[in-house]
Amino acid sequence: MPKDMNMNDSIFERRESEARSYCRGMPATFTTASGSEITDDTGKTYIDFLAGCSSLNYGHNDPDMKAALIEHISNDGIAHGLDLHTNTKAAFLEALEKHILAPRDMDHRVMFTGPTGANAVEAAMKIARKVTGRTNIIAFTNGFHGVTTGALSATGNGYHRGGAGMSLNGVTRMPFDGFFPGETDTVEFLDAMLKDKSGGVDAPAAILLETVQGEGGLNAASPEWVKRIADLAKDHGALLIIDDIQAGCGRCGTFFSFEEMGVMPDIVTMAKSVSGFGLPMAMLLVRPEYDIFGPAEHNGTFRGNTHAFITAKVAIEKFWADDSFQKELAEKSQLIHESLSDLAAMVPDAYLKGRGLMQGVDVGSGDLAGAVCARAYEKGLIIETSGSEDQVIKVLAPLTTPKDTLRKGFKILLEAANDVLTGPNKIAAE
């Protein structure tokens, strides 16, 4: 045994990389989960307002998805199929076409990438560059698109960018909607930079954006802004890429976050909850005229997850075959808004951010937001922060969370905030 090894440390402390993150603030060892609750090895149960960072939009262990997956495995169904034709892939694509794409008049092809959102973003950027023959991508302040080198070039967060250990090129950063205080029109700003031959911004292959910036602090672009950016992209010969990895799959109240905005992206990146069950899967939706990669030109052993095809099909048919689930989401969105308004009222100058079931409160201080989330964890609620200074308390509860459970979770959150704001070690808002 190495001299410096302490067997009283947990296996995680002894062997897991220092890159671990969420477990530092929530050190319990979790063992079981169901719906919107997760239980640790001491038997303590927590309400989950994190949902795998929006990878579990339909909750933990949905019984119908679980039953379908168990049946598939028990019958020796394909476990790994590269990009071969399989019955499970066909069934998923048919469900996606019938219930998602066709009703929205989307003619997009489906391209399966490696199983992470960052891989989907990398593929989208590569397609745009190949289609246009240009190299520059326009991305936005506070955008988060992944931490692999290509995707990281489009990510704004300085901490994550610092992990690259090299220069990150090929992306021009522009101000997102509302980035400047006052009445500055950031679409006009971008248009002027692109039109001026001495503006210094190369003609873009694509404009890449999230309609709601999840990790960036729940900055929600207005429908008008998104529509004008889409028109600007077309005017300048650039593809429009919408990153719906966190904001999609119902998180904003509709299956895609850009619905009802009057835009049709050239490429949509999807991952996280697209599998329905928390299984790794990522994909692109790409307009047919831009589906120009040659066979295996964007490769990967795990492009397409056969087990995820099973659960994703169930998720689509169960929740999106009609509009009943979407109507339910609208009601829950209002409940979340009202509950977070109570939280915002406790902190001077705090304000609500986001939309749909992707909302939070900017409390003005990362220390304060972190302390509230830490106290909430102690009291049985899992919730995290986001934003440039981690100053936003961010709610990503499963979309299927019962209203009574939502209310119970918000009761814990408000109690935690009160403890932090009024207790003996109170933290004041900045």
Side-chain angles (χ1 to χ4, degrees):
M1 180 186 301
K3 292 181 180 180
D4 60 350
M5 181 179 290
N6 182 354
M7 293 305 293
N8 292 322
D9 291 339
S10 73
I11 187 64
F12 307 112
E13 292 170 331
R14 289 202 312 273
R15 291 297 182 184
E16 192 174 8
S17 164
E18 290 298 317
R20 64 190 187 277
S21 174
Y22 290 105
C23 56
R24 295 180 183 273
M26 296 174 278
T29 299
F30 297 102
T31 56
T32 60
S34 179
S36 301
E37 296 182 330
I38 183 169
T39 302
D40 69 16
D41 60 358
T42 71
K44 181 177 179 178
T45 295
Y46 302 74
I47 295 173
D48 186 0
F49 272 19
L50 180 59
C53 199
S54 204
S55 293
L56 294 161
N57 282 3
Y58 310 105
H60 296 269
N61 286 303
D62 175 271
D64 297 310
M65 298 183 209
K66 179 170 63 176
L69 182 57
I70 289 172
E71 181 181 8
H72 175 81
I73 294 171
S74 297
N75 291 334
D76 290 335
I78 298 294
H80 178 263
L82 293 169
D83 69 349
L84 296 170
H85 293 164
T86 63
N87 59 336
T88 53
K89 184 196 290 187
F92 165 70
L93 288 171
E94 288 166 355
L96 183 72
E97 179 180 64
K98 178 179 179 181
H99 298 298
I100 304 298
L101 300 181
R104 293 162 178 80
D105 293 323
M106 297 177 68
D107 62 354
H108 296 62
R109 299 284 182 85
V110 182
M111 174 183 166
F112 298 106
T113 69
T116 67
N119 196 302
V121 170
E122 299 249 6
M125 295 168 72
K126 285 169 62 176
I127 287 175
R129 287 169 171 147
K130 184 172 183 179
V131 165
T132 63
R134 302 171 178 177
T135 59
N136 189 31
I137 304 285
I138 301 291
F140 293 93
T141 51
N142 287 301
F144 189 94
H145 301 285
V147 297
T148 53
T149 304
L152 186 57
S153 65
T155 292
N157 184 280
Y159 174 79
H160 289 100
R161 289 174 65 84
M166 60 179 288
S167 60
L168 299 167
N169 304 311
V171 171
T172 299
R173 192 94 40 214
M174 285 290 164
F176 194 68
D177 190 16
F179 180 76
F180 293 125
E183 301 299 321
T184 302
D185 188 325
T186 58
V187 180
E188 285 189 2
F189 179 90
L190 173 55
D191 193 29
M193 293 293 288
L194 291 174
K195 284 180 176 176
D196 191 326
K197 294 181 180 179
S198 293
V201 178
D202 294 335
I207 299 180
L208 167 65
L209 64 91
E210 306 153 274
T211 66
V212 181
Q213 296 181 321
E215 300 308 301
L218 298 180
N219 308 306
S222 70
E224 295 78 15
W225 187 89
V226 175
K227 177 65 166 62
R228 290 173 65 207
I229 288 291
D231 291 342
L232 186 150
K234 185 176 181 180
D235 290 344
H236 289 277
L239 274 61
L240 176 66
I241 304 171
I242 290 188
D243 182 340
D244 239 17
I245 290 165
Q246 187 168 144
C249 295
R251 179 55 61 184
C252 289
T254 52
F255 187 83
F256 296 110
S257 72
F258 52 84
E259 292 182 40
E260 302 170 357
M261 288 185 170
V263 302
M264 184 60 72
D266 297 302
I267 301 176
V268 183
T269 61
M270 304 191 73
K272 289 191 183 289
S273 278
V274 74
S275 78
F277 202 66
L279 298 172
M281 182 165 76
M283 65 189 198
L284 299 182
L285 303 178
V286 55
R287 298 295 295 266
E289 60 266 36
Y290 304 132
D291 182 30
I292 64 167
F293 275 151
E297 191 171 358
H298 187 84
N299 210 336
T301 304
F302 296 98
R303 57 191 188 279
N305 180 336
T306 303
H307 291 160
F309 292 151
I310 300 291
T311 54
K313 171 183 177 291
V314 174
I316 290 171
E317 293 177 341
K318 180 175 181 177
F319 295 105
W320 300 103
D322 58 38
D323 63 357
S324 58
F325 184 61
Q326 185 168 316
K327 290 178 178 177
E328 181 183 322
L329 297 184
E331 296 173 2
K332 290 180 180 178
S333 173
Q334 183 60 31
L335 189 161
I336 292 170
H337 181 86
E338 292 169 357
S339 299
L340 288 177
S341 296
D342 293 338
L343 174 61
M346 299 172 67
V347 181
D349 300 321
Y351 59 97
L352 272 64
K353 302 187 74 176
R355 62 184 174 91
L357 286 88
M358 192 176 184
Q359 297 185 58
V361 175
D362 189 319
V363 298
S365 160
D367 289 341
L368 176 57
V372 171
C373 290
R375 180 60 178 148
Y377 168 77
E378 293 172 357
K379 297 170 76 69
L381 175 69
I382 294 175
I383 189 168
E384 261 291 352
T385 63
S386 72
S388 56
E389 303 293 336
D390 294 321
Q391 77 279 15
V392 178
I393 297 171
K394 172 181 171 183
V395 176
L396 289 178
L399 310 181
T400 53
T401 306
K403 292 179 182 178
D404 286 346
T405 304
L406 284 173
R407 294 187 184 100
K408 183 178 178 182
F410 282 115
K411 183 175 184 291
I412 294 172
L413 182 60
L414 292 171
E415 290 173 353
N418 184 67
D419 291 350
V420 171
L421 292 166
T422 64
N425 299 313
K426 64 181 181 181
I427 298 176
E430 294 180 352

